[in-house]
């Protein structure tokens, strides 16, 4: 399975002017990648839609050809590559253009059916990561005296910032270094405030082989009162509680609201930046807290399944609960069913455990 790790990195260059040039180059790539992605997805939709317009005759549809860079007619499947090549050639590495073409095309295919049904709109890309093939990450080495990994990407040197490494990224990078796991198409992300860089490292993790019993299963109930209540035969396991998850989340929301109200009375002098300084302390805090808790809850449930050699986790009445949550603004705002299911799915897949929605 493909697993993505988010690792903070910095440019490994002591000379200030050169480091600044590298940073400008990365931001320029980010700008071009965003524009290229938006143009490409619009192009894919327009070409796709031409086939279904009733006011265009069949003969006209046949005559509508796609011209390549050298003036020759090309196949429809190659058109997206030609578009990005002409737009980005010489401005971004071609490996980035290739990876971007694949990512945007796959993203469009996922929502194509919903767009034609009118249940979804065409996606718009904002601050998207800069994609690249795994082979572009080169010269990966570990330096013990700094406890960090150094590598180069399109000629720009980087070094990792692992910190406390609660996600065990050191283990993943070490496996990449020894080539025990393969680096797949990854990406370089610029933070929203443009102050930090992150490596979104995608690796192909081997499935952990366990002797699971096909007869053993867990019935799990997801709710806002207790995030997960799991049953295995006569054993009951409660994971998390309302006070731990919901209370803390609401407190963050209230603190942000107070900061927004109080910012009206903050002294000026440096304009908007000073007015909103208190709000920046809460930037992404609620999202990070939720992400951490959902990772913890999903891991505890998977550990419970592995301990009892269960091959299946049944999510009881989950589809019905998600429909009810849409009607309840409080649940929709404060309870992340999708995030928890998503984290459960990829962790379960790592151990070969099936996740099943069950009515009962």
């Amino acid at each position: 399975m493909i697993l993505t790790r988010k690792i903070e990195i910095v440019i490994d260059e002591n000379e200030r002017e050169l480091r600044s040039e590298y940073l400008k180059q990365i931001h320029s790539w980010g700008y071009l990648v965003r524009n290229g992605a938006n143009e490409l997805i619009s192009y894919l939709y327009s070409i796709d839609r031409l086939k279904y317009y009733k006011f265009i005759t069949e003969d006209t549809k046949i005559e509508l050809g796609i011209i390549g860079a050298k003036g020759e007619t090309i196949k429809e499947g190659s058109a997206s590559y030609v578009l990005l090549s002409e737009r980005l050639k010489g401005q971004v590495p071609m490996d980035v253009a290739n990876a971007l073409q694949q990512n945007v095309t796959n993203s469009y295919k996922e929502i194509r059916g919903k767009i034609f049904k009118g249940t979804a709109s065409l996606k718009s890309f904002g601050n998207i990561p800069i994609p690249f093939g795994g082979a572009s990450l080169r010269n990966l080495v570990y330096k013990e005296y700094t406890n960090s990994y150094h590598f180069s990407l399109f000629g720009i040197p980087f070094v990792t910032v692992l910190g406390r490494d609660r996600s065990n990224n050191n283990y993943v990078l070490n496996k990449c270094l020894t080539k025990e796991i393969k680096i797949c198409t990854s990406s370089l992300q610029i933070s929203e405030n443009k102050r930090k860089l992150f490596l979104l490292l995608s690796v192909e993790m081997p499935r952990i082989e366990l002797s699971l019993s096909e007869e053993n299963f867990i019935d799990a109930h997801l709710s806002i009162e207790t995030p997960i209540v799991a049953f295995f035969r006569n054993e009951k396991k409660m994971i998390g509680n309302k006070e731990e998850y919901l209370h803390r989340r609401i407190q963050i929301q209230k603190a942000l609201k107070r900061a927004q109200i109080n910012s009206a009375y903050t002294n000026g002098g440096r304009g908007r930046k000073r007015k909103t300084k208190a709000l920046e302390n809460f930037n992404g805090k609620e999202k990070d807290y939720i992400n951490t808790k959902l990772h913890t809850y999903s891991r505890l449930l998977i550990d419970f399944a592995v301990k009892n050699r269960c091959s299946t986790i049944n999510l009881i009445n989950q589809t019905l609960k998600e429909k009810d949550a849409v009607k309840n603004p409080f649940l929709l705002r404060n309870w992340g069913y999708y995030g928890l299911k998503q984290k459960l799915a990829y962790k379960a897949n790592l151990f070969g455990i099936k996740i099943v929605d069950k009515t009962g």
Side-chain angles (χ1 to χ4, degrees):
M1 64 172 291
I2 305 298
L3 187 66
T4 301
R5 292 298 182 95
K6 186 176 182 179
I7 304 169
E8 185 179 350
I9 57 175
V10 294
I11 296 173
D12 188 18
E13 177 57 58
N14 294 326
E15 190 177 334
R16 187 174 179 180
E17 290 184 4
L18 185 56
R19 188 170 63 247
S20 178
E21 286 297 319
Y22 284 148
L23 199 58
K24 286 179 182 177
Q25 181 68 78
I26 293 168
H27 282 282
S28 173
W29 289 345
Y31 174 79
L32 291 166
V33 162
R34 183 199 67 188
N35 290 354
N38 283 318
E39 184 175 356
L40 177 56
I41 200 167
S42 299
Y43 167 79
L44 290 171
Y45 173 73
S46 61
I47 290 295
D48 216 1
R49 200 62 189 165
L50 278 174
K51 303 173 187 176
Y52 298 94
Y53 283 145
K54 294 182 179 179
F55 52 80
I56 299 179
T57 64
E58 291 299 322
D59 291 338
T60 306
K61 290 178 183 179
I62 294 171
E63 290 175 4
L64 283 170
I66 302 170
I67 307 301
K70 297 179 181 179
E72 76 285 8
T73 303
I74 61 173
K75 294 181 180 179
E76 185 181 321
S78 305
S80 56
Y81 173 77
V82 172
L83 176 74
L84 283 182
S85 296
E86 291 183 349
R87 182 176 183 83
L88 303 178
K89 189 175 181 179
Q91 299 183 76
V92 303
M94 286 311 296
D95 187 45
V96 170
N98 292 337
L100 180 65
Q101 185 257 339
Q102 292 175 7
N103 289 353
V104 174
T105 302
N106 291 337
S107 178
Y108 175 70
K109 286 179 180 178
E110 288 177 5
I111 61 171
R112 179 176 176 272
K114 292 181 179 179
I115 290 174
F116 285 175
K117 289 179 182 177
T119 57
S121 60
L122 198 62
K123 192 173 183 178
S124 177
F125 296 96
N127 180 28
I128 67 169
I130 303 166
F132 58 86
S136 294
L137 196 152
R138 298 174 180 173
N139 307 319
L140 180 63
V141 294
Y142 174 70
K143 295 187 178 179
E144 190 174 354
Y145 65 92
T146 58
N147 187 31
S148 59
Y149 289 83
H150 298 247
F151 64 93
S152 63
L153 188 63
F154 307 118
I156 301 176
F158 292 97
V159 58
T160 61
V161 181
L162 296 176
R164 295 180 183 178
D165 196 24
R166 292 174 177 172
S167 300
N168 206 16
N169 289 326
N170 186 36
Y171 170 81
V172 175
L173 286 166
N174 185 54
K175 291 293 183 183
C176 293
L177 183 61
T178 57
K179 301 191 184 302
E180 292 179 55
I181 58 177
K182 179 185 176 184
I183 300 176
C184 304
T185 300
S186 303
S187 52
L188 183 66
Q189 185 181 52
I190 305 168
S191 66
E192 291 291 340
N193 58 15
K194 302 188 185 302
R195 294 178 183 175
K196 291 184 178 181
L197 295 173
F198 296 96
L199 172 66
L200 303 184
L201 182 67
S202 295
V203 294
E204 189 174 345
M205 295 292 289
R207 180 171 289 179
I208 301 171
E209 296 297 332
L210 297 172
S211 58
L212 303 175
S213 173
E214 291 294 329
E215 297 177 356
N216 292 354
F217 61 88
I218 284 176
D219 287 337
H221 300 260
L222 310 186
S223 72
I224 200 167
E225 294 296 328
T226 303
I228 302 176
V229 181
F231 295 91
F232 173 69
R233 295 178 181 169
N234 296 326
E235 186 178 356
K236 178 181 179 181
K237 185 176 180 65
M238 301 179 72
I239 300 173
N241 56 65
K242 186 175 182 179
E243 288 71 27
E244 178 188 53
Y245 177 80
L246 185 61
H247 177 72
R248 176 62 178 158
R249 185 172 185 178
I250 291 174
Q251 289 303 308
I252 295 172
Q253 293 172 14
K254 288 182 177 178
L256 174 61
K257 187 67 176 178
R258 288 195 298 269
Q260 289 172 333
I261 293 170
N262 293 334
S263 65
Y265 306 104
T266 306
N267 291 332
R270 294 196 177 182
R272 184 180 180 277
K273 186 175 181 180
R274 183 169 180 175
K275 284 275 188 183
T276 59
K277 188 176 180 179
L279 298 179
E280 289 183 6
N281 295 330
F282 295 95
N283 185 27
K285 189 153 285 189
E286 183 184 359
K287 183 179 178 182
D288 291 342
Y289 177 76
I290 297 162
N291 198 42
T292 301
K293 281 299 174 188
L294 295 186
H295 267 301
T296 303
Y297 297 155
S298 59
R299 182 70 212 185
L300 289 172
L301 180 58
I302 296 298
D303 288 345
F304 184 55
V306 170
K307 175 187 171 184
N308 294 291
R309 299 177 57 242
C310 296
S311 61
T312 306
I313 296 175
N314 297 319
L315 301 182
I316 307 300
N317 296 327
Q318 190 55 37
T319 304
L320 182 61
K321 290 176 185 176
E322 289 174 14
K323 288 180 179 178
D324 290 340
V326 174
K327 301 173 186 176
N328 188 327
F330 182 79
L331 280 178
L332 192 63
R333 171 69 179 86
N334 293 290
W335 181 230
Y337 280 128
Y338 178 75
L340 184 53
K341 281 179 64 179
Q342 192 180 40
K343 289 171 175 57
L344 270 175
Y346 95 79
K347 288 184 176 72
N349 191 34
L350 192 60
F351 292 95
I353 299 172
K354 293 177 286 187
I355 303 291
V356 179
D357 284 346
K358 182 179 177 182
T359 304

